[in-house]
Amino acid sequence: MKYRIIDTETCDFDSGIVEIASIDLNDTEINYNSQQSHFVNPQKPISINAMAIHHITNEMVELSPLIEDVIDAYKGADYLVAHNAEFDKRMMPEMNAPFICTLKLARRLWPELESHSNQYLRYALELDVHVPEGLHAHRALYDCVVTASLFKRIKDDSGWSDTEMLEITNQPSLLSKLRFGKYKGMTFTEVKKENAGYLTWLLGQPDLDPDVKFSINYWMEKKYE
């Protein structure tokens, strides 16, 4: 089974890939010989906010190929794996494999963690990461290598099947804490113990965020000793 861990860096949050990279995980082993990356001409200016994150400038990509010219090199895997896969899937041309989201898997597997960003998980889980020299966080290949190590840990610790990982990917994210209201910052478990009626009330509110609704139902149903 070939899982292709993939990452993109972009002009902004709406469109325009400026860099794409991948590395493969064959069943349970990371294949470091498979890593690849390309600068991409986005045919639009890179926003200052984006440059401040990934440090890729317009001059660095102006002579690079278009995404259509390189995307075939990233096809051919059984699954594509990305951290916050909804973003990368939205940015990329249509691919020929389903996406697995390590962000959603990590939120489900380790709900107690303060953050589920790639770099936080790298250090919180003490991942065995061998990042490329000369790169830094928020460069596509660097992030791919971190995500590959994270995905390997998720597979090892969870025992989830591919079908189960796809199901979690296609569900709303599981949150551990409320991010608003009078119980902001408290875990759903704490609120459940202190005032379960508040969570029930929230479920009845119109336009409730899908992640919050999913999380309330999950933690209300979960049994504790």
Side-chain angles (χ1 to χ4, degrees):
M1 188 67 65
K2 180 182 290 186
Y3 305 91
R4 179 154 293 156
I5 291 78
I6 199 162
D7 185 72
T8 61
E9 302 300 331
T10 61
C11 290
D12 48 45
F13 289 113
D14 296 318
S15 63
I17 293 176
V18 299
E19 187 178 38
I20 185 170
S22 72
I23 187 170
D24 293 345
L25 188 147
N26 299 321
D27 291 324
T28 59
E29 295 301 320
I30 300 172
N31 179 7
Y32 286 95
N33 293 326
S34 69
Q35 60 188 26
Q36 59 178 335
S37 64
H38 294 87
F39 276 142
V40 174
N41 185 335
Q43 297 185 290
K44 62 183 289 189
I46 304 172
S47 72
I48 300 298
N49 285 335
M51 282 191 278
I53 294 172
H54 51 54
H55 306 293
I56 298 171
T57 66
N58 293 301
E59 292 74 20
M60 292 168 66
V61 300
E62 62 183 352
L63 299 180
S64 299
L66 305 181
I67 186 62
E68 291 80 10
D69 297 327
V70 301
I71 195 63
D72 283 350
Y74 295 87
K75 296 180 178 180
D78 297 291
Y79 296 95
L80 295 170
V81 180
H83 203 68
N84 193 9
E86 290 180 5
F87 176 83
D88 293 285
K89 183 178 181 180
R90 176 164 55 86
M91 290 295 177
M92 294 166 60
E94 185 173 351
M95 301 297 282
N96 57 358
F99 276 80
I100 293 174
C101 181
T102 53
L103 175 60
K104 289 188 174 183
L105 297 180
R107 284 173 171 171
R108 178 68 63 89
L109 189 57
W110 301 291
E112 73 284 357
L113 292 180
E114 182 178 341
S115 172
H116 295 89
S117 70
N118 240 10
Q119 290 303 307
Y120 184 93
L121 291 168
R122 173 186 176 179
Y123 294 108
L125 301 174
E126 299 180 344
L127 298 177
D128 182 19
V129 175
H130 303 280
V131 293
E133 292 185 8
L135 295 180
H136 52 76
H138 300 298
R139 285 294 300 273
L141 184 56
Y142 185 107
D143 288 353
C144 279
V145 172
V146 175
T147 300
S149 296
L150 172 62
F151 184 57
K152 184 177 187 306
R153 173 67 64 83
I154 289 172
K155 285 174 62 65
D156 290 343
D157 286 6
S158 70
W160 287 326
S161 66
D162 295 336
T163 299
E164 289 172 314
M165 290 190 290
L166 285 175
E167 288 176 352
I168 294 170
T169 294
N170 292 324
Q171 292 173 343
S173 284
L174 178 64
L175 308 176
S176 61
K177 295 181 180 180
L178 276 168
R179 300 172 177 173
F180 59 87
K182 63 180 181 178
Y183 295 111
K184 181 180 178 180
M186 292 180 61
T187 66
F188 286 93
T189 305
E190 292 169 339
V191 178
K192 176 183 174 181
K193 292 178 179 178
E194 182 171 323
N195 186 1
Y198 177 75
L199 297 179
T200 302
W201 173 80
L202 270 182
L203 285 174
Q205 301 309 300
D207 302 320
L208 183 65
D209 181 278
D211 290 347
V212 175
K213 182 176 181 180
F214 177 79
S215 300
I216 290 174
N217 284 320
Y218 177 88
W219 292 112
M220 291 289 280
E221 294 174 5
K222 191 172 180 64
K223 304 298 183 182
Y224 295 91
E225 295 181 357

